[in-house]
Amino acid sequence: MIRRTLLTAAALSGLCATANAAPETHDGFFLQFNIGPSAQDWTITNPPFLPDVIDELNIAGSGLQMDVNIGGAVAENIIVFAQFSVNTAVAPEVTLQGGNISASETFGDDVSAATVGIGGGVQYYVMPAGIYLAGSLLSVQLQLARDANGDGNSEERGGSEKGVGLQLRLGKEWWVSDEWGLGIAGSYLRASIPELGGDEAWTVNNFAVTFTATFN
């Protein structure tokens, strides 16, 4: 389903790129960049790598979210797009719960936790207010990495299988030229992602406030 959405969005963007888009209207080719501060939270119960010891493991932290959306309008103010998303938290906190055990540790700046997603979605503009609502269905994977040598080259130290996530975004934009708009948005991602080598799944909640730049 996600692959079909990506192919559809790519085809639409190619067709719309050749169309004559009217100024300050949401039609034709669509390209949007989102970047801003974020917070993410991963939780798993009965993790397979700590059997009979830990009932729940939580990884949480703050960092940066970056999304790139590309597609085209299927009708004025209705956009179909393909999306690539990365939400990274630096120095995340790990909390363990199990029986009488309760412990937490904050990693150093050499450790990062990332949620990486690819998929597609639909965005609808309420005009002339410049307010929009977007929803995306993403294939999501978790990654833990550590830059042990401090040389900028991180080595993956953990992760997950690929799962399914739903991202919702509410934003507001202002035209700054005939085709470019700048704005701000809030987004929320909810995902369920299978753990490597186990039957349990991570429950993921990501929040972000992003600044947006949109060509349409």
Side-chain angles (χ1 to χ4, degrees):
M1 180 178 180
I2 292 175
R3 181 181 178 184
R4 185 163 57 249
T5 301
L6 288 171
L7 291 174
T8 301
L12 284 170
S13 66
L15 290 173
C16 294
T18 62
N20 293 320
E24 296 191 5
T25 57
H26 293 290
D27 54 4
F29 178 73
F30 175 83
L31 178 64
Q32 185 180 65
F33 302 96
N34 295 267
I35 185 169
S38 66
Q40 60 177 311
D41 181 280
W42 311 350
T43 301
I44 188 171
T45 57
N46 303 315
F49 40 85
L50 294 169
D52 304 321
V53 177
I54 302 301
D55 297 326
E56 182 178 282
L57 171 64
N58 175 265
I59 301 175
S62 58
L64 190 69
Q65 178 167 303
M66 294 177 288
D67 297 337
V68 178
N69 304 331
I70 181 170
V74 294
E76 188 171 344
N77 300 324
I78 302 177
I79 311 295
V80 174
F81 59 85
Q83 177 175 342
F84 176 72
S85 177
V86 178
N87 190 321
T88 301
V90 178
E93 181 181 33
V94 177
T95 302
L96 306 175
Q97 300 283 346
N100 295 324
I101 299 174
S102 179
S104 63
E105 179 183 356
T106 300
F107 286 111
D109 292 342
D110 60 335
V111 175
S112 63
T115 304
V116 180
I118 185 169
V122 178
Q123 185 159 304
Y124 175 71
Y125 283 91
V126 179
M127 299 303 290
I131 296 171
Y132 66 85
L133 177 65
S136 306
L137 187 64
L138 304 173
S139 173
V140 184
Q141 191 169 26
L142 306 180
Q143 298 177 357
L144 278 174
R146 183 183 182 191
D147 180 7
N149 300 320
D151 57 3
N153 296 317
S154 296
E155 298 179 0
E156 188 170 338
R157 292 301 180 90
S160 71
E161 302 287 356
K162 293 180 181 178
V164 177
L166 175 65
Q167 185 190 71
L168 299 176
R169 176 179 284 115
L170 177 64
K172 163 74 175 177
E173 290 181 344
W174 295 267
W175 292 108
V176 294
S177 73
D178 287 348
E179 308 296 343
W180 280 98
L182 299 179
I184 189 169
S187 67
Y188 169 64
L189 170 71
R190 174 81 171 189
S192 178
I193 306 174
E195 171 54 39
L196 288 173
D199 298 326
E200 302 297 331
W202 291 92
T203 298
V204 177
N205 293 282
N206 289 353
F207 302 87
V209 176
T210 57
F211 299 98
T212 66
T214 303
F215 177 85
N216 191 203

